[in-house]
Amino acid sequence: HGMEWNDGKIRQKPGPQNSLGLVKFLFPNSFNMYLHDTPSRSLFKEEKRAFSHGCIRVSEPKKLAVFLLENNPEWTSEKIDEAMNSGKEQYVTLRKTVPVYIVYFTSFVDDKGKLNFREDIYNRDNQLRDMIFAKNDAKSAQ
């Protein structure tokens, strides 16, 4: 599967069979999380899509790369294609930073006003519930 030793660790070489796809988008965060492509395009059609270990698959990574590099005129669409398909790892630092907000909702109201619930795959709801009720209990005691 294109694995190699890298500083005493095993890693998967860049290329079309890499499980992160042809491109990954790194951004500062304390969770070692990033956005990435995937060679498993069929996963986007699945109802449940939590196949990753916390990172986020991007369905149209080339479009995201074009958007992110719009302030770097030397990065044309063709150059982005070439870099994505070169099989070589390379880093590109954006000239202008772009804020990244990751939110996790297990309930939401859709565009028809209907309340929707989803499975809490990261088990965050119980912690949030406990925090809310602890605050309410403290207020009630006053």
Side-chain angles (χ1 to χ4, degrees):
H1 296 282
M3 301 298 199
E4 69 178 0
W5 282 104
N6 184 30
D7 282 333
K9 298 176 186 172
I10 298 175
R11 75 170 196 145
Q12 194 172 27
K13 292 180 184 180
Q17 296 309 310
N18 186 295
S19 56
L20 301 178
L22 298 176
V23 62
K24 69 180 177 180
F25 304 92
L26 302 174
F27 54 93
N29 69 89
S30 58
F31 302 104
N32 199 24
M33 183 176 20
Y34 40 84
L35 307 172
H36 67 84
D37 181 23
T38 179
S40 304
R41 296 254 160 239
S42 62
L43 296 178
F44 289 110
K45 295 177 186 160
E46 297 292 327
E47 184 177 329
K48 292 188 177 186
R49 295 185 26 200
F51 299 103
S52 185
H53 296 286
C55 292
I56 301 167
R57 286 183 172 89
V58 176
S59 63
E60 297 186 59
K62 165 95 185 283
K63 282 186 179 180
L64 180 56
V66 168
F67 170 77
L68 292 173
L69 293 168
E70 69 184 357
N71 291 315
N72 300 51
E74 69 278 10
W75 281 97
T76 64
S77 179
E78 294 77 19
K79 186 172 178 181
I80 292 170
D81 272 332
E82 184 181 310
M84 287 176 63
N85 292 289
S86 71
K88 294 180 182 173
E89 189 172 4
Q90 52 186 303
Y91 290 85
V92 178
T93 301
L94 301 179
R95 289 193 181 132
K96 183 178 177 188
T97 59
V98 176
V100 176
Y101 300 96
I102 307 293
V103 294
Y104 175 71
F105 294 115
T106 56
S107 62
F108 62 94
V109 176
D110 66 20
D111 57 357
K112 295 179 181 150
K114 181 180 176 188
L115 180 60
N116 288 259
F117 293 95
R118 297 295 184 265
E119 182 182 355
D120 179 20
I121 61 172
Y122 296 113
N123 298 314
R124 301 280 188 187
D125 284 349
N126 290 340
Q127 180 184 6
L128 180 59
R129 179 203 61 214
D130 293 347
M131 288 169 52
I132 291 170
F133 285 119
K135 224 179 233 188
N136 287 337
D137 290 345
K139 282 183 182 179
S140 298
Q142 292 178 352

